[in-house]
Amino acid sequence: MKIKHHDITLKIDPKLGTLKAKDMMEVSGDEELRFYLGNRFDIISIKQGKKSLDWEVEEEGKLTTRYMVKDRDIKKDPVEINWKGNLSSFQGYRVSIIRGDLVELSGFCWWFPTIEPQSQFESFTYDLKVDLPGDWTIVTPGEIMGDGGKYRYSRKIEDIFLCASPILETFQKECCGVNLELHIPKDMIKFKEVLMDDFSSSIELCTKLFGPLKKGNGGIGIVSPRGKEGAECGFERDGLWVVGDLFTKYLIDNDWKVDSLPKSLSLHETIHGWFGIGVDFKEPWLAEAITQYLEVILTAMMYDEADIEKKYFDSYRERVEKHLAENDRPIKEYRFLDNMYTHWYLKGSWAFWDMEAAVGRDGLLELFSKIYQDYIGDTITHMEFRRISESCLDIEPDFIEYWFEDKGFEPVFR
Ligand SMILES: [Zn+2]
């Protein structure tokens, strides 16, 4: 069973903190239709054409419930699911936040409806019509095909993300041929220049090293007004990235340092415009390992500070070793949400520091630039990455295998 397309209509009343939704799903396959919905929502009805369908609860999770639709006619019309619920409090995990004055939907309180909660990598197309007051700013991947409080998006995407709030202000700047858009909460307006400078420096550096950003692969940044209860990790989707306001304030207040190491707000997610979106990777751990490595190297260039990579390297070592002592598995065996930060990001980026020790930084940056230019718009597997690396650089043939498929922790070259 696969959901091929969603046609969703949302009606959100910020004052009452309520949401009403209708989702027309096009489904392929002849198995039962199953979908997930946040526990805060109730199903009103499920229909196929004029016929009402029954459903049953299959599993009640902490935040989401899995439903199964009965007696669907597999050859017939889309299935229409109507549901409603309240949005007035924070509920969710990581990026899924909904409040009365902010809607951030990565699946209506977990991921997208119907997506398995542990995955954010399913793909489908969607049309979305959102009914919101006219003074709200709404930011989402996809094309806006209407106005006046009605929005419509249609494109293939891993998951839908939408951030809407009456307290966002938008700033624009042209940089390296990209129209940068920065959306920040109104109470951060006094930092708009420093935030925009950080964003444009990231874009400039990546353009210089890897080539121009392809239109639609980046250029929109959002400082999301999540407040105290909101999760703080940043992420990218399609052409935009998001970071929470608390982390942004923390960086500004601490002179752009975390644990005394310099850090750019936008750099990591901006790099994904080149690696992760520009060139996509079949295995998400490889995209994160590359991006994390590049983030540190580019931070050293941006802040012109000596020994940054060594300091980051040392700060990672302790975390990685601690985790390895508890649970030592190859990087590729870690799933999404499975302590991926330590493995995909920290241990994964270490592989490239190790590689750098063998071939030099310039050689490695040239490899990434070549990969970007040769494979832009493609999705490559780690085996292809391995083949390209081995044909361009003088590295041990089993290097990638050692780091990502075996347990590989003792650095090979260092
Ligand atoms: Zn990332």
Side-chain angles (χ1 to χ4, degrees):
M1 192 275 300
K2 175 166 167 49
I3 316 281
K4 291 193 308 192
H5 182 74
H6 294 268
D7 190 345
I8 291 199
T9 308
L10 291 181
K11 212 174 151 53
I12 295 167
D13 187 329
K15 277 204 194 101
L16 296 172
T18 56
L19 175 147
K20 246 182 141 167
K22 181 171 96 170
D23 188 354
M24 304 285 282
M25 296 178 188
E26 276 173 37
V27 188
S28 68
D30 50 11
E31 303 100 74
E32 305 292 357
L33 168 59
R34 292 184 163 81
F35 66 95
Y36 294 82
L37 207 56
N39 291 345
R40 68 170 77 200
F41 299 115
D42 294 316
I43 293 174
I44 305 165
S45 64
I46 302 182
K47 292 185 228 173
Q48 202 173 18
K50 284 192 177 123
K51 191 186 169 210
S52 291
L53 302 180
D54 278 340
W55 68 89
E56 69 181 39
V57 170
E58 277 200 332
E59 195 185 316
E60 280 182 82
K62 223 164 81 187
L63 294 166
T64 52
T65 300
R66 188 172 78 218
Y67 297 90
M68 195 261 282
V69 179
K70 293 174 161 178
D71 302 323
R72 173 175 67 98
D73 183 342
I74 57 165
K75 289 185 205 74
K76 255 197 162 168
D77 312 315
V79 177
E80 174 186 330
I81 300 179
N82 292 281
W83 77 92
K84 63 174 181 167
N86 294 315
L87 306 173
S88 52
S89 63
F90 169 81
Q91 185 187 46
Y93 182 74
R94 289 175 186 262
V95 300
S96 307
I97 292 165
I98 305 176
R99 295 203 314 257
D101 62 346
L102 164 73
V103 188
E104 188 172 310
L105 304 173
S106 273
F108 305 90
C109 110
W110 194 291
W111 306 114
F112 202 79
T114 77
I115 281 199
E116 206 179 325
Q118 297 305 320
S119 156
Q120 61 165 335
F121 302 108
E122 294 180 36
S123 66
F124 46 80
T125 59
Y126 70 92
D127 288 329
L128 175 68
K129 279 144 265 155
V130 191
D131 198 350
L132 270 169
D135 59 339
W136 283 50
T137 305
I138 182 163
V139 195
T140 183
E143 281 165 74
I144 299 172
M145 294 155 92
D147 57 355
K150 302 256 183 204
Y151 302 83
R152 188 184 166 97
Y153 310 91
S154 179
R155 76 188 301 161
K156 192 173 190 302
I157 190 169
E158 288 164 344
D159 81 22
I160 172 181
F161 163 78
L162 141 75
C163 182
S165 171
I167 53 171
L168 284 175
E169 199 79 47
T170 303
F171 300 96
Q172 286 173 313
K173 184 181 173 179
E174 154 102 48
C175 172
C176 302
V178 183
N179 292 314
L180 300 190
E181 246 179 59
L182 185 65
H183 303 268
I184 57 177
K186 286 194 172 108
D187 65 0
M188 278 194 183
I189 286 176
K190 60 176 186 280
F191 303 117
K192 71 171 197 275
E193 260 138 43
V194 63
L195 291 169
M196 194 55 119
D197 283 351
D198 173 59
F199 193 10
S200 53
S201 308
S202 305
I203 295 268
E204 273 167 22
L205 195 49
C206 290
T207 306
K208 198 176 101 192
L209 291 170
F210 313 120
L213 184 67
K214 198 171 155 233
K215 196 174 176 293
N217 284 356
I220 301 174
I222 308 166
V223 175
S224 173
R226 296 171 181 189
K228 280 199 188 74
E229 290 174 289
E232 279 309 315
C233 67
F235 63 100
E236 91 293 345
R237 287 284 176 280
D238 202 55
L240 57 80
W241 56 258
V242 181
V243 175
D245 57 347
L246 278 193
F247 181 62
T248 309
K249 279 184 190 133
Y250 175 89
L251 266 190
I252 292 170
D253 290 346
N254 289 281
D255 199 21
W256 298 80
K257 287 195 166 88
V258 176
D259 297 335
S260 73
L261 297 172
K263 185 164 174 69
S264 151
L265 181 78
S266 64
L267 189 53
H268 180 102
E269 308 305 341
T270 296
I271 293 168
H272 279 310
W274 278 260
F275 301 100
I277 296 172
V279 177
D280 200 358
F281 295 88
K282 181 89 194 323
E283 294 91 355
W285 44 260
L286 186 54
E288 293 307 341
I290 291 172
T291 301
Q292 190 75 16
Y293 163 75
L294 289 174
E295 183 191 348
V296 173
I297 300 311
L298 271 60
T299 298
M301 297 178 188
M302 246 168 124
Y303 293 87
D304 200 17
E305 216 174 288
D307 280 347
I308 279 195
E309 58 274 22
K310 189 184 175 312
K311 287 176 194 162
Y312 268 100
F313 186 90
D314 290 343
S315 77
Y316 291 175
R317 177 186 282 277
E318 205 179 316
R319 286 180 75 163
V320 175
E321 281 176 344
K322 181 174 172 288
H323 195 261
L324 287 180
E326 290 158 11
N327 190 351
D328 187 7
R329 275 188 284 161
I331 291 173
K332 75 165 198 176
E333 284 179 20
Y334 277 80
R335 312 303 307 164
F336 190 68
L337 303 184
D338 198 13
N339 200 343
M340 63 168 184
Y341 188 71
T342 303
H343 279 256
W344 290 9
Y345 295 65
L346 306 190
K347 191 178 165 191
S349 62
W350 199 323
F352 293 106
W353 279 322
D354 197 17
M355 203 157 157
E356 183 191 292
V359 299
R361 180 166 304 172
D362 290 348
L364 207 43
L365 286 173
E366 260 168 50
L367 170 73
F368 286 124
S369 168
K370 184 180 160 45
I371 288 177
Y372 177 68
Q373 282 162 35
D374 290 355
Y375 295 91
I376 184 166
D378 291 344
T379 300
I380 60 175
T381 64
H382 79 283
M383 290 310 289
E384 284 169 291
F385 178 79
R386 177 177 171 174
R387 185 184 54 73
I388 302 160
S389 308
E390 286 167 9
S391 73
C392 294
L393 300 172
D394 184 21
I395 51 167
E396 299 287 324
D398 52 0
F399 181 86
I400 301 287
E401 185 185 317
Y402 172 78
W403 268 104
F404 295 105
E405 295 176 15
D406 299 338
K407 290 176 183 176
F409 185 65
E410 281 313 312
V412 182
F413 297 114
R414 273 174 194 277

